[in-house]
């Protein structure tokens, strides 16, 4: 097993190394996604409109599910597979940027996942707006050599074109929904409709050519809609669609309560994580209650809840009524990297720094962002911190023992402390800070959309879950973009969940 970032700086991808072979998988001239381009932001406006004028995704989701049920999809939305009692599957979150960070994940994923039965994409399959025409280079091409079915739940970006592309690709080529009657003038719905981003017409030849990249029967998966359950071996996997704003409509909430009554152990896959960045987000359900209420109910036997949306890896083992539920963030599948160094010292849900895990490590995150700001602001000598300096200053600010010890010669100077502060590095809650946390996080959020660098280390990740009747073994694998780590992807975190 290769060294991980918790072992050495080389394991994290720092230092000279031979670049991986992922580039051979990419299209000849891949189009870069510029997140701060006004045209990109305008195309992704539906989330803002939904928050201002009301969220229509619950109604649209109900129309999609009704259409699929009428077309013969199972009314209970359960996919019944013939997996044995012992099997493995992959979870990959927030994949579809279509450039080097996404393709850098693929070689290791194919290596680790060659004997897996299926994969699940957890949130934001296609950036920036879920367009049908983007599926060729952001789904079919990167995963063309994965010899098993791929299921998916949508993220907010897949909803920016009303889920049209997602439903065509994952739900038996579902036809577009018929237009609804225009809303009454001068209402909130009318104002929303004036500005709403509508689905773009699909290039049918392009989609047909893309489908040929994953043509084999063993690669095909048909799911009954944007939310579903999979009965696989001894467990049930439940995937929910949190739409544009990270909530569930009443119809999906009622379905979730019903499928959760099944006696098997369960894993939840969700578009938004329930624990993230040291905070609890239980996910409200229209009409009352939360998703986490359902997960915590001992009668439902949930053992893990895995969410995408945030582009890194985090794990919170939360004790609930004498048992432990693993709350996991798995969004490192290919999009720009969200910082982990802004996470304050963890104390949430009974989880402390001793139990909390993340990837990239906070020090590596700070070093990554310091180099990014150094390049963007043309102040590399001031902003850029070595991995050892970044690790040391994070340990000082959070008063923790770092997972990877900094080099003994690393010095924490005034400059190092200032850069760490400017880039929003977390602190102990009892120490206070000059700025409130959302303001501090804004330092990195400003450049996060531009942080998809095009040379290693990328700090991407994916999960492999090995299921048996007695336990589930969850491993987080890293994808740095370096060749050695393509052939032998490092394990950044591992936990075994008992089922009995």
């Amino acid at each position: 097993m290769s060294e991980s970032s918790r072992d050495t700086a080389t394991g994290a991808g720092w230092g000279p190394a031979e670049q991986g072979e992922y580039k051979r998988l990419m299209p000849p001239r891949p189009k870069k996604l510029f997140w701060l381009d006004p045209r990109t932001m305008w195309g992704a406006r539906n989330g803002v409109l939904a928050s201002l004028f009301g969220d229509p995704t619950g109604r649209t989701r109900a129309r999609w599910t009704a259409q699929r049920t009428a077309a013969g999809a199972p009314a209970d939305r359960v996919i019944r597979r013939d997996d044995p009692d012992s099997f493995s599957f992959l979870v990959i979150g927030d994949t579809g940027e279509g450039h080097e960070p996404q393709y850098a994940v693929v070689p290791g994923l194919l290596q680790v996942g060659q004997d897996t039965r299926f994969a699940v994409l957890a949130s934001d399959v296609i950036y920036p707006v879920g367009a049908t025409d983007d599926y060729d280079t952001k789904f079919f091409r990167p995963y063309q050599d994965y010899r098993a079915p791929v299921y998916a739940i949508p993220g907010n970006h897949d909803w920016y074109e009303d889920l049209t592309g997602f439903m065509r690709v994952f739900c038996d080529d579902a036809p577009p929904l018929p237009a609804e009657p225009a809303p009454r003038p001068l209402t909130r719905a009318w104002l929303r409709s004036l500005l709403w981003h509508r689905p773009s017409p699909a290039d049918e030849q392009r989609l047909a050519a893309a489908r040929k990249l994953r043509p084999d029967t063993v690669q095909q998966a048909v799911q009954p809609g944007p939310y579903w359950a999979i009965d696989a071996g001894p467990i049930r996997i439940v995937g929910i669609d949190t739409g544009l704003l990270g909530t569930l409509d009443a119809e999906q909430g009622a379905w979730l309560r019903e499928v959760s009554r099944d006696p098997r152990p369960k894993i939840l896959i969700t578009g938004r994580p329930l624990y993230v960045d040291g905070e609890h987000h239980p996910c409200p359900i229209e009409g009352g209650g939360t998703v986490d209420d359902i997960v915590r109910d001992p009668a439902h036997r949930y053992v893990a809840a895995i969410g995408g949306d945030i582009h890194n890896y985090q794990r919170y083992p939360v004790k609930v009524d004498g048992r432990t539920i693993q709350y996991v963030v798995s969004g490192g599948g290919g999009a720009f990297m969200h910082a982990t160094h802004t996470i304050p010292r963890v104390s949430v849900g009974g989880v402390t720094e001793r139990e909390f895990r993340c990837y990239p490590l906070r020090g590596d995150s700070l070093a990554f962002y310091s180099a990014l700001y150094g390049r963007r602001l043309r102040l590399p000598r001031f902003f850029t911190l070595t991995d050892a300096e970044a690790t040391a200053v994070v340990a000082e600010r959070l008063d923790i023992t770092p997972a990877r010890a900094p080099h003994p010669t690393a010095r924490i100077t005034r400059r190092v402390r200032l850069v760490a502060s400017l880039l929003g590095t977390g602190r102990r809650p009892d120490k206070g800070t000059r700025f409130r946390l959302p303001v501090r996080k804004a330092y990195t959020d400003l450049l996060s959309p531009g942080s998809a660098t095009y040379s290693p280390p990328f700090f991407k990740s994916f999960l492999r879950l090995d299921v048996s009747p007695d336990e589930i073994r969850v491993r987080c694998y890293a994808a740095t973009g370096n060749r050695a780590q393509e052939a032998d992807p490092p394990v950044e975190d591992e936990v075994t969940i008992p089922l009995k």
Side-chain angles (χ1 to χ4, degrees), residues 177-312:
L177 293 173
E180 288 193 292
R184 288 188 298 111
L186 303 180
T187 62
R188 295 175 73 207
W190 177 77
L191 289 170
R192 184 183 65 222
S193 69
L194 293 179
L195 298 172
W196 198 253
H197 176 83
R198 308 287 177 187
S200 307
D203 183 334
E204 297 299 333
Q205 291 185 337
R206 182 174 178 176
L207 179 59
R211 290 186 191 277
K212 293 179 180 178
L213 295 173
R214 285 181 52 86
D216 293 348
T217 302
V218 297
Q219 295 177 302
Q220 305 311 307
V222 175
Q223 59 190 60
Y227 60 94
W228 40 257
I230 298 175
D231 286 347
I235 67 169
R236 172 169 279 189
I237 305 163
V238 180
I240 59 173
D241 168 19
T242 54
L244 283 170
L245 301 182
T247 61
L248 263 63
D249 61 280
E251 180 181 294
Q252 186 180 183
W255 170 86
L256 177 60
R257 291 184 176 96
E258 182 62 32
V259 298
S260 297
R261 294 190 182 101
D262 184 273
R264 279 167 282 203
K266 297 174 193 70
I267 296 172
L268 181 74
I269 308 289
T270 169
R272 296 283 180 95
L274 303 181
Y275 279 85
V276 61
D277 293 346
E279 299 174 349
H280 183 210
H281 298 273
C283 187
I285 300 173
E286 182 185 17
T290 69
V291 169
D292 203 27
D293 291 339
I294 297 171
V295 170
R296 287 168 175 259
D297 188 330
H300 295 156
R301 297 192 67 193
Y302 279 93
V303 297
I306 303 172
D309 188 58
I310 300 302
H311 307 163
N312 53 46

Side-chain angles (χ1 to χ4, degrees), residues 349-365:
V351 179
T352 67
E353 279 292 328
R354 183 182 297 275
E355 299 87 25
F356 171 69
R357 296 290 183 271
C358 69
Y359 177 77
L361 298 177
R362 288 184 177 99
D364 290 329
S365 171

Side-chain angles (χ1 to χ4, degrees), residues 60-78:
T60 304
R61 184 186 296 115
R63 296 176 69 208
W64 279 121
T65 55
Q67 181 205 78
R68 301 319 306 146
T69 301
D76 62 2
R77 303 183 184 94
V78 177

